[in-house]
Amino acid sequence: MAIVSSETLHASCVAVHGRAVLIEGPSGSGKSDLALRLIDRGAQLVADDYTILTRENGTLKASPPATIAGQIEVRALGIVDMPHVDRAPVALLVRLVERPERMPADDSDRLIAGIVVPEIALNAHEASAPIKVELALARQGTA
């Protein structure tokens, strides 16, 4: 398997129906919290806080750094061990913002390791954030 390009992104990552969702935002923006709520809805942990992204044969794959594989930070509890997925193809990037646009004009994409990834902006602290992630995946036909 030829690795063409890889990079590490300051993002948590879960797999929803086998497809990786990257959750990117500054410290304290709710990356781990949104990941936990998605896990509660059936997603699987890939990585918390940092995710390794590798382009392989035209597909972007997400995996955890070895030092934090199978661990997630839960505020008020600390680091918690959790079952995880070692690799998953990336389907969506969720960029956490305080005030997302009510009606975004166009679909947004991000180029990561040479692969175009659909991107949405959400406020992780909204109760509906996990549902919005699932709706965004369904819109792509990946959930």
Side-chain angles (χ1 to χ4, degrees):
M1 166 181 352
I3 295 175
V4 177
S5 179
S6 75
E7 61 184 79
T8 300
L9 191 65
H10 183 204
S12 293
C13 183
V14 296
V16 177
H17 301 294
R19 303 294 303 244
V21 175
L22 299 166
I23 305 168
E24 178 186 61
S27 294
S29 63
K31 293 184 299 293
S32 299
D33 184 76
L34 179 54
L36 269 177
R37 288 186 286 142
L38 284 162
I39 290 165
D40 187 54
R41 295 176 60 83
Q44 296 175 288
L45 177 67
V46 176
D48 184 42
D49 208 36
Y50 286 93
T51 303
I52 298 171
L53 299 160
T54 307
R55 186 175 92 186
E56 298 174 4
N57 303 318
T59 302
L60 190 63
K61 302 282 179 104
S63 59
T67 55
I68 59 171
Q71 298 179 326
I72 187 167
E73 180 184 344
V74 180
R75 285 193 189 259
L77 296 180
I79 305 298
V80 175
D81 291 331
M82 181 171 287
H84 73 285
V85 175
D86 283 323
R87 297 175 75 66
V90 175
L92 180 67
L93 173 76
V94 176
R95 183 173 39 86
L96 300 182
V97 297
E98 190 172 318
R99 303 190 97 199
E101 290 183 45
R102 181 174 174 211
M103 300 289 283
D106 294 326
D107 291 337
S108 182
D109 295 320
R110 174 93 62 87
L111 189 64
I112 303 173
I115 302 290
V116 175
V117 177
E119 176 184 49
I120 62 170
L122 294 178
N123 180 327
H125 302 293
E126 292 178 354
S128 61
I131 298 165
K132 290 175 183 177
V133 170
E134 293 168 350
L135 288 171
L137 285 170
R139 182 181 283 177
Q140 299 174 35
T142 58

